[in-house]
Amino acid sequence: MTGTITELELIPRDMINLFRKIRQKMANDNRPLMYLRYAAGEILLVVIGILIALQVSDLNEKRKNSNSEQALLKDLKSELQGNVEALKIIIKEHQRSLDAALRVESFIKDSSMLEAIPNEDLDSILRVMNRNWTFDPKLGILNSTINSGKIDLIQNKEIRYELSSIKESIVDAFESTDDIEQSRRTLYRPLVSKYSNIVGSKTLTFASKNMFSDVHFAWWTDFMILVRREGLDEENELMTFLNEVNEHIESAIKK
C-alpha cells in the first residue's frame, strides 16, 4: 500500500545482503553452528524491524485519530454555540410571557387597573402572555457523532458523557412548553373565544373585559405563571449545562 512503511524498509539493505552472504558461506563451509547464529541474527533483525514498523504505524494512527478528534470537537463547538444563541432567544421570549401573565394577574386582582387600560393594550398583553416559543435545536453533527461511533474519538470521558446527555436534557427542559401548548389548545382557546371577535378564520381579537372576572380565566392565568416559572428555571439550567459543555470542549481543543 502506498505510503506504508514495512519492516524491511527500516533495515539497511546492505546489512541484509551481508547477513545472507555470510549465512550462505557458513552453509557452504559446513559450519552449522555459525550458520545458525547468523540466521538467528538475521531473524532478530527482521523482528526488530517489524516491532519498529508497528510502533510507527501505531503513532501514525494516534496522530490521525487526534486530528480527527480536533476537527470533530470544533464542529461540535460550532453547532453547540448556535444552539446556545437560539436558546437565549427562547428564554427572553418566555420571560416576556411570564411578565405579561403577571400583569394580567394584577388586572384580575385590581378592577381599577383593568378599567384604565385600553382594550387594544390588553389584546397585546394577552398575546404576549400566551406565546409559547419552542426550541428547535440543530443536532445534526451531534447525532452523527453518536450514531456513527465517532464519539469514541473524544478522549475526555466527561465530554463524551455530556454530549450523550444533551438531547435528554433538552427534552426535560421543555416539558413545561409542551404542557402549555396542549392546554392552550384544549382550555385557553375555547375560553377566550367567548370574549373575542374572530378575524378571518383563525385570529382572535380581544373584545371584552368581562373575561377577567371569569374563574376559568383566572385559573388559566395562575397556570401560565406557575408553569412558565418552572419552564424558565429548567431552560436556564439547560443554558448553564450547554455553556459548561461548550467550555469543556473549548479546553480540549488544541490552540
Side-chain angles (χ1 to χ4, degrees):
M1 182 180 296
T2 302
T4 301
I5 300 176
T6 67
E7 65 276 11
L8 293 179
E9 289 175 330
L10 295 172
I11 305 172
R13 293 193 177 275
D14 291 342
M15 185 177 293
I16 293 176
N17 292 332
L18 176 62
F19 270 97
R20 286 175 179 171
K21 289 179 181 179
I22 294 174
R23 184 181 59 184
Q24 184 64 42
K25 186 176 185 305
M26 295 302 168
N28 293 336
D29 293 344
N30 197 23
R31 299 168 64 183
L33 184 59
M34 293 295 293
Y35 172 85
L36 289 175
R37 287 178 179 175
Y38 280 97
E42 185 176 356
I43 292 172
L44 179 61
L45 187 62
V46 172
V47 170
I48 292 173
I50 292 173
L51 293 176
I52 293 174
L54 290 174
Q55 186 176 20
V56 170
S57 176
D58 183 59
L59 291 174
N60 287 338
E61 188 66 23
K62 287 181 178 179
R63 186 178 67 252
K64 288 192 295 184
N65 288 341
S66 178
N67 291 338
S68 297
E69 178 195 23
Q70 290 297 304
L72 181 59
L73 288 172
K74 290 176 182 177
D75 288 343
L76 287 167
K77 181 178 181 297
S78 178
E79 182 176 80
L80 185 59
Q81 188 59 46
N83 288 326
V84 166
E85 294 303 317
L87 182 57
K88 287 180 181 178
I89 296 174
I90 298 294
I91 291 175
K92 179 180 178 180
E93 291 301 324
H94 285 175
Q95 183 62 55
R96 290 184 64 210
S97 172
L98 175 59
D99 294 341
L102 291 171
R103 288 194 67 188
V104 170
E105 181 185 47
S106 67
F107 297 148
I108 293 173
K109 293 179 177 179
D110 189 339
S111 58
S112 63
M113 291 179 61
L114 178 63
E115 291 302 321
I117 189 169
N119 276 7
E120 294 78 9
D121 292 345
L122 277 177
D123 184 68
S124 176
I125 293 170
L126 288 172
R127 288 180 185 279
V128 173
M129 165 182 161
N130 289 285
R131 280 187 192 143
N132 195 38
W133 289 51
T134 56
F135 184 43
D136 184 23
K138 309 302 181 185
L139 300 174
I141 296 174
L142 176 63
N143 289 334
S144 175
T145 299
I146 294 174
N147 295 337
S148 66
K150 289 182 179 179
I151 193 170
D152 292 333
L153 289 171
I154 299 174
Q155 297 300 304
N156 189 303
K157 293 181 179 180
E158 183 178 9
I159 293 177
R160 291 204 304 268
Y161 173 77
E162 290 173 336
L163 290 173
S164 300
S165 304
I166 285 179
K167 289 195 290 186
E168 182 180 351
S169 299
I170 290 173
V171 171
D172 291 342
F174 283 88
E175 288 179 349
S176 296
T177 300
D178 294 338
D179 291 342
I180 290 175
E181 186 60 31
Q182 294 177 13
S183 299
R184 187 173 63 171
R185 289 196 303 265
T186 59
L187 300 175
Y188 177 72
R189 198 168 182 85
L191 170 66
V192 75
S193 65
K194 296 190 300 182
Y195 301 95
S196 303
N197 294 325
I198 298 178
V199 178
S201 60
K202 296 181 179 179
T203 305
L204 298 176
T205 302
F206 177 76
S208 174
K209 293 180 179 179
N210 292 333
M211 183 173 68
F212 284 75
S213 60
D214 190 316
V215 293
H216 296 95
F217 179 70
W219 178 90
W220 171 258
T221 303
D222 290 340
F223 170 81
M224 282 294 296
I225 293 172
L226 175 64
V227 178
R228 189 60 84 200
R229 277 176 172 161
E230 291 178 350
L232 279 166
D233 287 342
E234 293 165 348
E235 290 158 20
N236 280 298
E237 288 177 5
L238 174 62
M239 175 68 77
T240 299
F241 173 64
L242 294 182
N243 281 327
E244 288 176 352
V245 178
N246 206 24
E247 289 175 3
H248 294 159
I249 291 177
E250 177 66 28
S251 64
I253 294 176
K254 295 178 182 179
K255 307 301 182 183

